[in-house]
Amino acid sequence: MMSAVAGQRAVPGDPYTVGQSPRGLVIDGQPRVLTTGAIHYPRSAPAMWDSLMKKAKLGGLNTIDTYVFWNMHEPSKGDYDFYTDRANLPLFLQTARENGLFVVLRVGPYVCAEWNYGGFPQWLRHEPDIVFRTYSAPFMREMRRFIAKVVDVTKPYMPEHGGPIIAMQIENEYGDHQRDFGHNGDLFADWCGQTAQQFNLSVPWIMCQQYYRVDGVIPTVNGFYCDQKLDKFRRDNPELPAMWTEMWPGWFQRWGEAAPHRPIEDIAYAVAKWFARGGTSVSYYMYHGGTNFGRTSGPFIMTSYDYDGFIDEYGLENWPKYLHLQALHRLLLEHEQFITGNDVPKSIKLADSDAAAAYVYGTDSDYFAFLINSDSSNSIKIKFDGLKQQLPPWSVTLVRRSKQDKQPNVLYNTAQLSKLIKRAQRHPARFETISSGLSTDNIRWQPLSQAGVPTITAKRPVEQISVTDDKTDYLWYRTNVSLPAECGSLDAAHAKTLVLHDAGDVATVYFNGEFVGMQHGQQDRLATFTFAVPPSTLRLGKENNTEVEISILSQTLGMAHNQRNMESYSRGLLGAITLCGRDITKGKWEMQPGLEGEHLPAHLQDTHAWERYDPEQQLARPQQMRWYAIELDSQMLAEQASDDEPARYAIDMASMSKGHIWINGVHLGRYWLRRAPAASDYAPCRKCTYNGAFHPDRMCRQHCGELSQRYYHLPRSYLRLPKSGDGSARVHNMLYVLEELDGHPEHISIAQRISKLPLQEPEQPRERPRCSWLLGTLATVCGAAVLVGAGTLLFKALKQWRERRGYSRIHTDDSSLAE
């Protein structure tokens, strides 16, 4: 049960005040412990927000954290959108208020977040003389203008209006780049602090990952572990609260990577140790990761942004993580008066080892204490205030003693999991197929033409983003060249290849319309792509028909989200291009942005003129870009509904290759069926222990050797479903698929995401007894039971057993289930 000090505000509502002290943000005069989780409003459908917040609150959170995404709210300069679909920030804030949750609003407007261009709108790079994130007059002018707009939109949600916002953030992780900009970096950091104060808001401003003092803001920290930063923080900022703005309980995932996972014991250890040593606020990045809809992800970042969060991409509890940290959050909030009402205590050595220490908040006879063992290998036996304990390695034990107690009582240990949590670990969330494939009668298709009218002609390839303005992933480069004599040479020194130097992110090559291949880089690094000249082109050379058309489809997979000089970020064909060793970079090149119908214009959505899909015909035309229009079975989707928990849908794209998907005109995102490395080839897949410093590049990768992302979120609110009881009404749900390579759309299937908590182990099927003596014994026992009138009792027991059997929904506010 969470409790608050008498007279202390627990949730937003009526007008209140917010201040700051060394022991926490001060709300209505009381310093508070903040248990915060990041939920980014553009990464989930608005229909999910209320459920997400209710689950966050039930999970022991009292605060929600979100960035504000500039490129979503101002896609064109001066053209604002704060009210439609996933851009509806006021609705998100109102939902938090209605659920009694505070909000930390991280305005930035640079956000990183593995989000396309770090949140910057494309038009910003065209401002004359602009340099991002430094003391650049054009940048500071536009940054201040956008922050002013956000302040104006969010004023109704400030504390003086009973709103949920208790803090605002300006910039983001600037300490990582400030020194790169030298004196101008220092000037810009100071300008951020001055600008924040000029808005004269009723809430404090923060700057996260800010290593150098900036007047007017609270510097906060990010990381996997942050307790080691507290001593320096208090020396440098004795008057400010210690706030952990990004506690990373998981990690993001790129295409082709195994899934990151962080052990829950280690997460709890890091958080408990933070509060033990004087922290007052923690925020999980991410509590719910969500989905990178459309083209919103950063370079090579997957469409799923699950982040191994507490609530998964589909809005369902990740039960082991959710429950283990829920217990810790509730204890921290229940004992808030001890944590924030006392100065940070000095550590008490508990054993001969320096690894064992206690931090006691309170008096000798009435306290809340943290007993820490930071040894990653060994348990340590300790005696503390009459309590004998063996502290597991890499763990924190929480104890409480009241004046009535003779010795402290153990409340929680970060390394010890309840039976319920262990069962949940054995039965993780899963996908359950509800349609094994799609009827070919419901699939239509049309080829995607390579031809088009070029928009730019130049003497060499032009940088891609300067042409596309990032309104599309795609740019065609075309040239006609005479086939070099070296292509027909028998000399092995003359490689019969087309080589693209310094290219990114993906290139697909065609010779005279014939598909040659697709290659890709990795992360946001440029690459060199090498393609073999097809035999058909070499034969043409031998016949003295040497003119060849080379078409190269260049693709971006998200723009840089975290690097210097983002205003000059470039992609496409940037380096030399050679054919059979001869440089063909200079010549006549034509550029054409986009693909036919890429943004689903109305005429494309009229599929009557499309061909009916025939798998046999498709096999005769492999490696051809195609559009597919697939009508889903709306009645089948509607039948999955439940009063207990709405169905959570996914599209299983395992039969396809690479492209984009839409549902009813809503762009769900990119898909790419890349496989993660096998465990035998990748060391982080082979090691996972909770005890020891965690990093996702060193340990605990999961689903190795599997497709990085096979399932794609299909939000229920983007579907058109028949109303309950109206079986006669026909509704249409159209799935559009833009396939760049090859695939079998008839094998696309719809799945349901399932995440139920097993209150007991599901029964395993038992073999029928084969021994006659055992059957005889059972018959004798049953007969005796009947004779003594126990049949009724057996019936009642059986009924109770059947009610308990298998899976049933848990009400997690009942502490009796914690075992």
Side-chain angles (χ1 to χ4, degrees), residues 623-791:
Q623 312 296 356
Q624 181 185 31
M625 290 186 292
R626 301 177 176 91
W627 277 103
Y628 296 104
I630 305 168
E631 186 175 352
L632 302 182
D633 185 341
S634 301
Q635 192 62 42
M636 176 270 296
L637 292 170
E639 289 170 357
Q640 308 304 315
S642 164
D643 294 335
D644 195 29
E645 181 78 74
R648 312 301 172 105
Y649 299 116
I651 309 171
D652 182 350
M653 298 292 290
S655 65
M656 306 302 285
S657 297
K658 184 179 180 298
H660 293 253
I661 43 178
W662 290 258
I663 184 69
N664 297 328
V666 177
H667 192 181
L668 297 179
R670 303 178 180 100
Y671 69 89
W672 193 3
L673 283 301
R674 285 191 65 192
R675 196 167 293 277
S680 58
D681 301 325
Y682 191 51
C685 292
R686 302 194 296 271
K687 175 188 176 184
C688 190
T689 59
Y690 84 85
N691 49 319
F694 171 83
H695 194 280
D697 291 340
R698 295 196 299 264
M699 60 199 307
C700 293
R701 292 283 179 160
Q702 297 185 330
H703 304 295
C704 304
E706 301 177 17
L707 295 172
S708 289
Q709 186 173 357
R710 172 177 175 175
Y711 297 94
Y712 294 79
H713 189 196
L714 182 60
R716 183 180 178 86
S717 58
Y718 292 154
L719 294 170
R720 304 178 187 124
L721 299 177
K723 295 181 180 179
S724 178
D726 189 3
S728 61
R730 177 162 175 77
V731 294
H732 299 271
N733 285 285
M734 193 64 73
L735 182 72
Y736 293 92
V737 179
L738 171 57
E739 172 58 56
E740 299 168 6
L741 290 172
D742 199 5
H744 298 277
E746 72 275 19
H747 297 309
I748 293 174
S749 61
I750 306 300
Q752 188 173 350
R753 180 71 167 173
I754 306 292
S755 179
K756 292 185 178 180
L757 183 64
L759 299 184
Q760 66 180 51
E761 287 290 348
E763 286 290 316
Q764 300 297 321
R766 298 179 180 179
E767 292 186 10
R768 185 183 182 93
R770 297 179 181 178
C771 302
S772 58
W773 66 267
L774 180 58
L775 291 172
T777 301
L778 288 172
T780 302
V781 171
C782 290
V786 171
L787 289 174
V788 298

Side-chain angles (χ1 to χ4, degrees), residues 803-819:
E803 289 175 348
R804 293 196 308 270
R805 185 179 179 183
Y807 295 96
S808 61
R809 180 166 171 76
I810 183 171
H811 302 285
T812 51
D813 54 352
D814 187 348
S815 59
S816 65
L817 295 174
E819 298 190 17

Side-chain angles (χ1 to χ4, degrees), residues 183-243:
H183 181 58
N184 278 349
D186 298 337
L187 291 175
F188 176 68
D190 290 338
W191 175 85
C192 287
Q194 295 162 9
T195 299
Q197 292 306 303
Q198 288 168 5
F199 287 107
N200 197 29
L201 298 182
S202 58
V203 299
W205 287 81
I206 65 175
M207 285 183 73
C208 80
Q209 206 78 327
Q210 185 56 41
Y211 311 131
Y212 314 99
R213 186 177 179 90
V214 174
D215 292 337
V217 301
I218 302 171
T220 68
V221 294
N222 298 349
F224 292 107
Y225 309 90
C226 283
D227 64 281
Q228 72 280 7
K229 302 177 182 180
L230 284 167
D231 289 343
K232 183 179 186 304
F233 175 85
R234 282 194 292 272
R235 288 195 303 270
D236 295 344
N237 309 278
E239 76 286 8
L240 298 179
M243 300 178 68

Side-chain angles (χ1 to χ4, degrees), residues 441-515:
D441 291 339
N442 293 333
I443 304 175
R444 291 181 175 272
W445 78 283
Q446 70 173 18
L448 198 152
S449 173
Q450 294 181 36
V453 178
T455 58
I456 292 179
T457 301
K459 294 181 179 180
R460 62 175 299 146
V462 177
E463 190 276 327
Q464 179 166 346
I465 298 170
S466 65
V467 179
T468 66
D469 208 26
D470 198 39
K471 290 181 172 61
T472 171
D473 286 353
Y474 305 99
L475 179 65
W476 284 104
Y477 292 92
R478 294 190 182 89
T479 188
N480 288 275
V481 299
S482 296
L483 197 65
E486 291 86 345
C487 289
S489 171
L490 298 178
D491 186 349
H494 297 293
K496 299 173 179 58
T497 57
L498 174 73
V499 182
L500 313 177
H501 296 272
D502 293 331
D505 296 315
V506 181
T508 307
V509 171
Y510 299 82
F511 274 70
N512 293 328
E514 177 187 353
F515 174 82

